[in-house]
Amino acid sequence: MTDTQMTIREMCDTFSVTPRALRFYETKELIFPKREGTKRLYSRRDCVRLKLLLRGKRFGFSLEDIRQLLDMYDLEGSERTQFMQTYTLAQDRLAQMEQQRDELIEAIAELKNELADNAEQFTVYAAADKKSAA
C-alpha cells in the first residue's frame, strides 16, 4: 500500500475485493474515494476503513454496526468510546457465534445418530437397487 493514493484496481488486488464491492461500500458511505473524472482514488484513510470493514464483516457485524464504529473513529477524542463500543459489540458477537457453534455441534451429532440408526436399512435398499439394475 502506498503512502499516497490507490486506484480501484490496486484496492481490489490489495484487499481481494471486487470493484463492485468497493462501489457498493462507497454508495453506503463507508469509504470516500476522491474522484478525478471517472477515476476513483483511495486514500490511506479509505484503506484503513476498508480493512476494518472487511474484518467486521468477517466477524458477522452488520454494515450499520460497522458504520457506527467507523464514524466514531472520525470524531475527535472518541478513541476510548470507539474502543469500548467495539469491545462490547465483539463480546456480544462472540457469544452469538459460540451459541451457533453449540447448536451446530448438536445438529451434527443428531444427524450422525440418524444416519447410524438407518445405515442398515440403507444397505438393504442399496443392495435391492443394485440387484434390480442387473
PDB file of all heavy atoms in Angstrom, residues 108-122:
ATOM      1  N   ILE A 108     -25.204 -31.710  14.236  1.00  0.00           N
ATOM      2  CA  ILE A 108     -24.312 -32.693  13.603  1.00  0.00           C
ATOM      3  C   ILE A 108     -24.400 -34.033  14.328  1.00  0.00           C
ATOM      4  O   ILE A 108     -24.499 -35.091  13.695  1.00  0.00           O
ATOM      5  CB  ILE A 108     -22.853 -32.171  13.561  1.00  0.00           C
ATOM      6  CG1 ILE A 108     -22.735 -31.035  12.537  1.00  0.00           C
ATOM      7  CG2 ILE A 108     -21.875 -33.302  13.253  1.00  0.00           C
ATOM      8  CD1 ILE A 108     -21.403 -30.286  12.590  1.00  0.00           C
ATOM      9  N   ALA A 109     -24.388 -33.988  15.644  1.00  0.00           N
ATOM     10  CA  ALA A 109     -24.483 -35.224  16.422  1.00  0.00           C
ATOM     11  C   ALA A 109     -25.811 -35.935  16.160  1.00  0.00           C
ATOM     12  O   ALA A 109     -25.842 -37.165  15.987  1.00  0.00           O
ATOM     13  CB  ALA A 109     -24.317 -34.924  17.913  1.00  0.00           C
ATOM     14  N   GLU A 110     -26.901 -35.178  16.111  1.00  0.00           N
ATOM     15  CA  GLU A 110     -28.210 -35.768  15.830  1.00  0.00           C
ATOM     16  C   GLU A 110     -28.244 -36.406  14.445  1.00  0.00           C
ATOM     17  O   GLU A 110     -28.769 -37.512  14.270  1.00  0.00           O
ATOM     18  CB  GLU A 110     -29.313 -34.703  15.925  1.00  0.00           C
ATOM     19  CG  GLU A 110     -29.650 -34.290  17.335  1.00  0.00           C
ATOM     20  CD  GLU A 110     -30.715 -33.204  17.378  1.00  0.00           C
ATOM     21  OE1 GLU A 110     -31.597 -33.173  16.494  1.00  0.00           O
ATOM     22  OE2 GLU A 110     -30.659 -32.366  18.301  1.00  0.00           O
ATOM     23  N   LEU A 111     -27.695 -35.709  13.452  1.00  0.00           N
ATOM     24  CA  LEU A 111     -27.678 -36.243  12.095  1.00  0.00           C
ATOM     25  C   LEU A 111     -26.827 -37.507  12.011  1.00  0.00           C
ATOM     26  O   LEU A 111     -27.206 -38.490  11.356  1.00  0.00           O
ATOM     27  CB  LEU A 111     -27.181 -35.182  11.109  1.00  0.00           C
ATOM     28  CG  LEU A 111     -27.190 -35.571   9.634  1.00  0.00           C
ATOM     29  CD1 LEU A 111     -28.572 -36.051   9.179  1.00  0.00           C
ATOM     30  CD2 LEU A 111     -26.714 -34.406   8.787  1.00  0.00           C
ATOM     31  N   LYS A 112     -25.690 -37.513  12.689  1.00  0.00           N
ATOM     32  CA  LYS A 112     -24.852 -38.722  12.705  1.00  0.00           C
ATOM     33  C   LYS A 112     -25.616 -39.896  13.314  1.00  0.00           C
ATOM     34  O   LYS A 112     -25.536 -41.027  12.817  1.00  0.00           O
ATOM     35  CB  LYS A 112     -23.561 -38.466  13.488  1.00  0.00           C
ATOM     36  CG  LYS A 112     -22.532 -37.676  12.726  1.00  0.00           C
ATOM     37  CD  LYS A 112     -21.265 -37.489  13.558  1.00  0.00           C
ATOM     38  CE  LYS A 112     -20.196 -36.768  12.774  1.00  0.00           C
ATOM     39  NZ  LYS A 112     -18.960 -36.587  13.561  1.00  0.00           N
ATOM     40  N   ASN A 113     -26.340 -39.637  14.393  1.00  0.00           N
ATOM     41  CA  ASN A 113     -27.125 -40.698  15.034  1.00  0.00           C
ATOM     42  C   ASN A 113     -28.207 -41.218  14.097  1.00  0.00           C
ATOM     43  O   ASN A 113     -28.434 -42.433  14.007  1.00  0.00           O
ATOM     44  CB  ASN A 113     -27.747 -40.212  16.340  1.00  0.00           C
ATOM     45  CG  ASN A 113     -26.731 -40.074  17.457  1.00  0.00           C
ATOM     46  OD1 ASN A 113     -25.687 -40.726  17.438  1.00  0.00           O
ATOM     47  ND2 ASN A 113     -27.022 -39.215  18.414  1.00  0.00           N
ATOM     48  N   GLU A 114     -28.894 -40.298  13.402  1.00  0.00           N
ATOM     49  CA  GLU A 114     -29.931 -40.700  12.448  1.00  0.00           C
ATOM     50  C   GLU A 114     -29.336 -41.563  11.345  1.00  0.00           C
ATOM     51  O   GLU A 114     -29.915 -42.576  10.959  1.00  0.00           O
ATOM     52  CB  GLU A 114     -30.614 -39.477  11.838  1.00  0.00           C
ATOM     53  CG  GLU A 114     -31.594 -38.780  12.762  1.00  0.00           C
ATOM     54  CD  GLU A 114     -32.808 -39.639  13.082  1.00  0.00           C
ATOM     55  OE1 GLU A 114     -33.325 -40.334  12.174  1.00  0.00           O
ATOM     56  OE2 GLU A 114     -33.227 -39.628  14.251  1.00  0.00           O
ATOM     57  N   LEU A 115     -28.202 -41.135  10.824  1.00  0.00           N
ATOM     58  CA  LEU A 115     -27.551 -41.915   9.768  1.00  0.00           C
ATOM     59  C   LEU A 115     -27.129 -43.287  10.283  1.00  0.00           C
ATOM     60  O   LEU A 115     -27.305 -44.304   9.595  1.00  0.00           O
ATOM     61  CB  LEU A 115     -26.356 -41.150   9.204  1.00  0.00           C
ATOM     62  CG  LEU A 115     -26.697 -39.930   8.356  1.00  0.00           C
ATOM     63  CD1 LEU A 115     -25.434 -39.132   8.036  1.00  0.00           C
ATOM     64  CD2 LEU A 115     -27.430 -40.329   7.087  1.00  0.00           C
ATOM     65  N   ALA A 116     -26.571 -43.338  11.470  1.00  0.00           N
ATOM     66  CA  ALA A 116     -26.146 -44.614  12.053  1.00  0.00           C
ATOM     67  C   ALA A 116     -27.349 -45.530  12.284  1.00  0.00           C
ATOM     68  O   ALA A 116     -27.295 -46.735  12.001  1.00  0.00           O
ATOM     69  CB  ALA A 116     -25.390 -44.384  13.357  1.00  0.00           C
ATOM     70  N   ASP A 117     -28.449 -44.949  12.784  1.00  0.00           N
ATOM     71  CA  ASP A 117     -29.655 -45.733  13.041  1.00  0.00           C
ATOM     72  C   ASP A 117     -30.261 -46.304  11.758  1.00  0.00           C
ATOM     73  O   ASP A 117     -30.922 -47.339  11.791  1.00  0.00           O
ATOM     74  CB  ASP A 117     -30.718 -44.894  13.757  1.00  0.00           C
ATOM     75  CG  ASP A 117     -30.323 -44.536  15.190  1.00  0.00           C
ATOM     76  OD1 ASP A 117     -29.359 -45.139  15.716  1.00  0.00           O
ATOM     77  OD2 ASP A 117     -30.974 -43.637  15.774  1.00  0.00           O
ATOM     78  N   ASN A 118     -30.045 -45.633  10.646  1.00  0.00           N
ATOM     79  CA  ASN A 118     -30.671 -46.043   9.387  1.00  0.00           C
ATOM     80  C   ASN A 118     -29.692 -46.649   8.386  1.00  0.00           C
ATOM     81  O   ASN A 118     -30.080 -46.946   7.252  1.00  0.00           O
ATOM     82  CB  ASN A 118     -31.389 -44.846   8.760  1.00  0.00           C
ATOM     83  CG  ASN A 118     -32.581 -44.440   9.586  1.00  0.00           C
ATOM     84  OD1 ASN A 118     -33.572 -45.155   9.634  1.00  0.00           O
ATOM     85  ND2 ASN A 118     -32.489 -43.303  10.253  1.00  0.00           N
ATOM     86  N   ALA A 119     -28.460 -46.860   8.795  1.00  0.00           N
ATOM     87  CA  ALA A 119     -27.441 -47.387   7.888  1.00  0.00           C
ATOM     88  C   ALA A 119     -27.794 -48.784   7.390  1.00  0.00           C
ATOM     89  O   ALA A 119     -27.612 -49.094   6.206  1.00  0.00           O
ATOM     90  CB  ALA A 119     -26.076 -47.393   8.575  1.00  0.00           C
ATOM     91  N   GLU A 120     -28.314 -49.626   8.267  1.00  0.00           N
ATOM     92  CA  GLU A 120     -28.655 -50.996   7.873  1.00  0.00           C
ATOM     93  C   GLU A 120     -29.758 -50.992   6.811  1.00  0.00           C
ATOM     94  O   GLU A 120     -29.665 -51.698   5.807  1.00  0.00           O
ATOM     95  CB  GLU A 120     -29.095 -51.801   9.100  1.00  0.00           C
ATOM     96  CG  GLU A 120     -29.318 -53.271   8.794  1.00  0.00           C
ATOM     97  CD  GLU A 120     -29.687 -54.059  10.040  1.00  0.00           C
ATOM     98  OE1 GLU A 120     -29.167 -53.748  11.123  1.00  0.00           O
ATOM     99  OE2 GLU A 120     -30.507 -54.979   9.906  1.00  0.00           O
ATOM    100  N   GLN A 121     -30.785 -50.183   7.021  1.00  0.00           N
ATOM    101  CA  GLN A 121     -31.885 -50.103   6.053  1.00  0.00           C
ATOM    102  C   GLN A 121     -31.379 -49.561   4.716  1.00  0.00           C
ATOM    103  O   GLN A 121     -31.783 -50.032   3.660  1.00  0.00           O
ATOM    104  CB  GLN A 121     -33.009 -49.213   6.592  1.00  0.00           C
ATOM    105  CG  GLN A 121     -34.241 -49.202   5.708  1.00  0.00           C
ATOM    106  CD  GLN A 121     -34.921 -50.574   5.649  1.00  0.00           C
ATOM    107  OE1 GLN A 121     -35.047 -51.274   6.648  1.00  0.00           O
ATOM    108  NE2 GLN A 121     -35.323 -50.981   4.458  1.00  0.00           N
ATOM    109  N   PHE A 122     -30.478 -48.596   4.760  1.00  0.00           N
ATOM    110  CA  PHE A 122     -29.896 -48.047   3.533  1.00  0.00           C
ATOM    111  C   PHE A 122     -29.170 -49.138   2.761  1.00  0.00           C
ATOM    112  O   PHE A 122     -29.305 -49.260   1.540  1.00  0.00           O
ATOM    113  CB  PHE A 122     -28.937 -46.896   3.860  1.00  0.00           C
ATOM    114  CG  PHE A 122     -28.239 -46.351   2.644  1.00  0.00           C
ATOM    115  CD1 PHE A 122     -28.876 -45.437   1.800  1.00  0.00           C
ATOM    116  CD2 PHE A 122     -26.954 -46.776   2.314  1.00  0.00           C
ATOM    117  CE1 PHE A 122     -28.235 -44.963   0.661  1.00  0.00           C
ATOM    118  CE2 PHE A 122     -26.304 -46.301   1.179  1.00  0.00           C
ATOM    119  CZ  PHE A 122     -26.946 -45.387   0.350  1.00  0.00           C
TER     120      PHE A 122
END
